[in-house]
Amino acid sequence: MTAVALLNWRSADHYDSTGDKPCVICTKPTPLRSDRGKPVHKVCAEEWIDQHTRKENDE
């Protein structure tokens, strides 16, 4: 079984009411923003974290 990163984006800080911008990962429009203000879908960010986090077995 694989652990999946789940981000808590309940804060209004993750929503930009000024409009959609292309997601930095999939390029589809999104009103969501990362903690650093980058436009990104929550699921795209979670998948990116899963793919780029070192696992116990990684060297």
Side-chain angles (χ1 to χ4, degrees):
M1 186 161 135
T2 325
V4 177
L6 293 176
L7 300 173
N8 179 352
W9 280 14
R10 291 185 182 138
S11 167
D13 295 339
H14 290 287
Y15 181 79
D16 186 349
S17 61
T18 63
D20 290 355
K21 292 186 179 175
C23 173
V24 296
I25 297 173
C26 75
T27 70
K28 294 180 183 173
T30 181
L32 299 175
R33 303 295 182 261
S34 70
D35 289 341
R36 295 183 179 179
K38 302 289 184 187
V40 64
H41 296 103
K42 180 179 178 284
V43 293
C44 289
E46 291 169 341
E47 185 175 317
W48 188 93
I49 290 169
D50 284 342
Q51 292 175 355
H52 294 89
T53 301
R54 293 184 135 234
K55 309 290 186 237
E56 275 186 36
N57 305 359
D58 291 349
E59 291 183 17

